[in-house]
Amino acid sequence: MFLTISTTGNEQHPATDLGFLLHKHPDRAFSASVSYGKAHVLYPEADAERCTAALLLEVDAVALVRRGKGKGRGGAPDAALAQYVNDRPYAASSLLAVALSAVFSSAMRGVCNARPERAEQPLPLRIEVPALPARGGPGLVGRLFEPLGWTVTAEPVALDTEFPEWGDSRYVHLVLESETLTLAQALRHLYVLLPVLDDAKHYWVASDEVDKLLRAGEGWLSDHPEQKLITSRYLSRRWSLTRQAMEALELVRLAEADDSAVEEIDNAVEAEAETEEKPTPLAVQRRDAIIAALKESGAARVLDLGCGQGQLVQALLKDVRFTEIVGVDVSVRALTIASRRLKLDRMGERQASRVQLFQGSLAYTDNRLKGYDAAVLSEVIEHLDLPRLPALEYAVFGSARPRTVLVTTPNVEYNVRWETLPAGHVRHGDHRFEWTREEFRTWARAVAERHGYGVEFVSVGPDDPEVGPPTQMAVFSMKSVNEKEAKAA
């Protein structure tokens, strides 16, 4: 991944001042580790008349996959190789924009103590990007850069020069030229517009990306004719973030038109301490729903199967109606953390008699699990490979057979409502699957039928009219002998 920045000069203002502005010496190569690779800055030419700085980004494809967020195992089965074999190491994208920001951070802010007057002056600039993904073609490249004062040459790259009949690829060879922009302005344009043209960020887009966009877009984005497209693509089409950014940009435009500060325009609401309550985290809502269902079932002796770090066990201990609470997990490390969370080593004798933690696998039957009033599997089943679910089913419903079983799992339909979750990805890297409401109910009804339980379904979290709740819960209740006899008759 490669780009060059060139300028010209004379004896009075030598082109090598570019080195001062970029804070990188023309006589020395510079290297630094950045996200997902290593960046190098070198100068192929550097004299008074012409100076060129080249930024070369070596992308570590393996690190890109390993550190990627939300990949999980829910993707298409043929996507494994594509994670490694793609255009990321070669074509300018959000990866290169991040490297620009990391390597030339002072230059992007226009800071240069050695040549402050040069940092504030327009320079004769030529920027070349040999391979730039352009979703929208050369026409869109021109519409994005020309209003900013650039002369644009965007030559399409053929799919294969040996077979011209195949046509052009989605890549262009880009050359930008201007004599009216400062270096800081040029770098900020690239920082925003490279990922906009690629239209595929390599990292999650969260609310802090709005601030990054507004900082880099200061002075030009609020009046850009393609403002909406730039904002939407930069924020990966997250509609709420896009709306937030568009509202902020409109305030900037109004302030500039009125020759006022943004704070003076945005004064409809007095500066007061916010009284709106923060939404309750989904994990808390889930625990509350589980405890409510346990209380309704009348359970006193409860198993937390897959107890993790002990959050539910801790909550159950606060209610004296739960006389015995057992946390089970396959992970010794998780049980160690749970023990510290519960302060078992300092717990009073009476309280300690109510709780125990032990290691166990839900893929095998375990006599220690028999005889309890209720068992909870909270966000557990999605961590198992689908072929292992029957083993868990028998261990819990066929062997342990508590009177009540609560199972919660994510509702994959709700994933479109998570702003920071890329489309098609599961919520956690260890999730083997995530089910729709219908898939979960089909599985739960079949389990109940096979093992003599009835089952009801409870929504956990905000119940969206289109996609349902974020978490779905099945409440299994063992049928009485009379019910079984009546059904048999």
Side-chain angles (χ1 to χ4, degrees), residues 14-85:
T16 49
D17 282 351
L18 181 64
F20 288 103
L21 299 178
L22 292 174
H23 298 262
K24 302 293 180 286
H25 200 290
D27 293 338
R28 293 193 294 269
F30 170 86
S31 297
S33 296
V34 295
S35 298
Y36 310 104
K38 197 165 189 178
H40 308 275
V41 179
L42 53 143
Y43 289 78
E45 54 185 347
D47 55 42
E49 294 183 354
R50 184 174 178 83
C51 185
T52 297
L55 173 62
L56 172 66
L57 177 61
E58 292 182 287
V59 176
D60 185 340
V62 175
L64 184 62
V65 173
R66 287 178 176 173
R67 293 178 58 193
K69 304 292 187 182
K71 296 288 189 293
R73 304 193 182 186
D78 60 348
L81 186 61
Q83 293 182 30
Y84 296 95
V85 183

Side-chain angles (χ1 to χ4, degrees), residues 156-172:
V157 177
L159 278 172
D160 193 317
T161 55
E162 298 295 321
F163 300 94
E165 65 274 16
W166 288 2
D168 296 328
S169 68
R170 67 184 182 92
Y171 304 92
V172 298

Side-chain angles (χ1 to χ4, degrees), residues 408-431:
T408 75
T409 192
N411 168 23
V412 71
E413 297 168 79
Y414 192 88
N415 286 359
V416 296
R417 297 294 187 255
W418 298 117
E419 295 289 351
T420 57
L421 185 63
H425 290 227
V426 292
R427 297 184 198 176
H428 188 280
D430 191 51
H431 285 187

Side-chain angles (χ1 to χ4, degrees), residues 56 145 201 250 395:
L56 172 66
F145 282 102
K201 282 200 171 182
E250 179 62 14

Side-chain angles (χ1 to χ4, degrees), residues 266-272:
D266 189 22
N267 61 359
V269 179
E270 295 182 6
E272 296 179 353

Side-chain angles (χ1 to χ4, degrees), residues 152-263:
V152 180
T153 303
E155 298 178 353
V157 177
L159 278 172
D160 193 317
T161 55
E162 298 295 321
F163 300 94
E165 65 274 16
W166 288 2
D168 296 328
S169 68
R170 67 184 182 92
Y171 304 92
V172 298
H173 181 161
L174 175 66
V175 176
L176 301 172
E177 296 177 293
S178 175
E179 295 188 356
T180 61
L181 297 168
T182 67
L183 179 62
Q185 290 173 322
L187 292 174
R188 290 198 294 267
H189 295 167
L190 292 171
Y191 175 76
V192 173
L193 297 181
L194 290 182
V196 165
L197 283 165
D198 183 31
D199 197 20
K201 282 200 171 182
H202 70 281
Y203 56 86
W204 283 17
V205 174
S207 57
D208 62 333
E209 291 295 302
V210 175
D211 296 329
K212 294 179 186 177
L213 175 62
L214 295 177
R215 284 196 301 270
E218 184 178 358
W220 63 271
L221 184 54
S222 61
D223 293 323
H224 198 291
E226 297 291 343
Q227 177 200 103
K228 186 173 182 180
L229 180 143
I230 293 170
T231 305
S232 176
R233 283 195 177 190
Y234 184 87
L235 298 170
S236 296
R237 294 183 172 82
R238 301 287 190 260
W239 67 267
S240 64
L241 298 182
T242 301
R243 182 180 62 185
Q244 179 183 339
M246 293 292 289
E247 290 172 351
L249 289 168
E250 179 62 14
L251 280 174
V252 171
R253 189 189 67 78
L254 291 173
E256 290 175 348
D258 196 41
D259 195 23
S260 303
V262 171
E263 293 77 10

